[in-house]
Amino acid sequence: MTMLSAGIVPLVATSLVSDWRKSYYVTTTYCLVFNLPLVFLPESPRSDIIMGKVAQAEASFRRIAQINKTEWKGFDSEPESSQGIRVSENEQKKVSIKEQMITLVLHKILFLETLAQIILWCVIYLCYYGVNYAWDKIVPVTSSGYFLSMAVQIAANITFVPAMRVLGRRRYMTWSFVIAALLLAIGGATSAVPLGNNGWTVASIASILAQFFVSGVYCTGLVLWNVELPPCTHTGTVIGLSSSSSKIFGLACPFLFGSLVDATGGFVASFSIMVGLCLVGAVCSYLL
């Protein structure tokens, strides 16, 4: 959703609509339509417990357990009262960033989980935006690349939710990265093979399909896991580390399909790097 609202939709709107007012209408309409379902989403279990709604929290936990192919065994003890939870939350806020970072480093499991999440964020960011920086080279019309990128992310949001319910989050994330790596390998090996006389190539189709699987991992898997895995006191820090790291490594995106393509005279090197990134993402997803 962030990728769409912050980047792709405005790019598509400005490339297809010359009037800046109309482009604003397009992006605003998109945000209104796709944020409307938030009104109907259930509250988080943690928020339900804070408000004293224990029954609703248990129902949410059962639903989450069903999606993750596990069994909800109930609370180990009776949840604290609403006031008690609020007190503990106030105490959680006293944990400084320095103390959180020390905890992340000293606790092995927490450190490895955080490291895996940071790597996954960087892999997704590099692969997704690496392709976005190259639509002028991959497809005959640049705006069509941005439009298709937006379309496959919407399709991924719709498709991967039931897929996650069937396969479980870890398995579907792992296989999504593997399939994306296979598609990018095909694209790199056949980057010059045309599909008709309209400028489309095998690499064009492979890139779009790879984006479908990568964006599905981000939207329906990694973002949710980022909230669930760390302790409540460290959630913001872990998400901040993951997101900021991906933005820093994202500075290499123009290099992946810009300077590297010009220097090598083809897509083989760029696709090979992204194949390696997707395989790293598959390993991290499996171990997470």
Side-chain angles (χ1 to χ4, degrees), residues 221-239:
L222 183 58
V223 173
L224 297 177
W225 230 343
N226 252 148
V227 178
E228 294 176 10
L229 278 177
C232 296
T233 52
H234 293 65
T235 301
T237 301
V238 172
I239 293 176

Side-chain angles (χ1 to χ4, degrees), residues 196-269:
N197 299 320
N198 53 8
W200 287 83
T201 64
V202 174
S204 308
I205 305 301
S207 299
I208 293 168
L209 292 177
Q211 272 204 334
F212 169 77
F213 287 97
V214 170
S215 60
V217 170
Y218 174 80
C219 297
T220 57
L222 183 58
V223 173
L224 297 177
W225 230 343
N226 252 148
V227 178
E228 294 176 10
L229 278 177
C232 296
T233 52
H234 293 65
T235 301
T237 301
V238 172
I239 293 176
L241 286 171
S242 303
S243 180
S244 58
S245 299
S246 68
K247 302 299 187 296
I248 294 171
F249 279 92
L251 296 173
C253 289
F255 170 78
L256 271 179
F257 270 107
S259 306
L260 191 58
V261 172
D262 296 334
T264 59
F267 294 102
V268 176

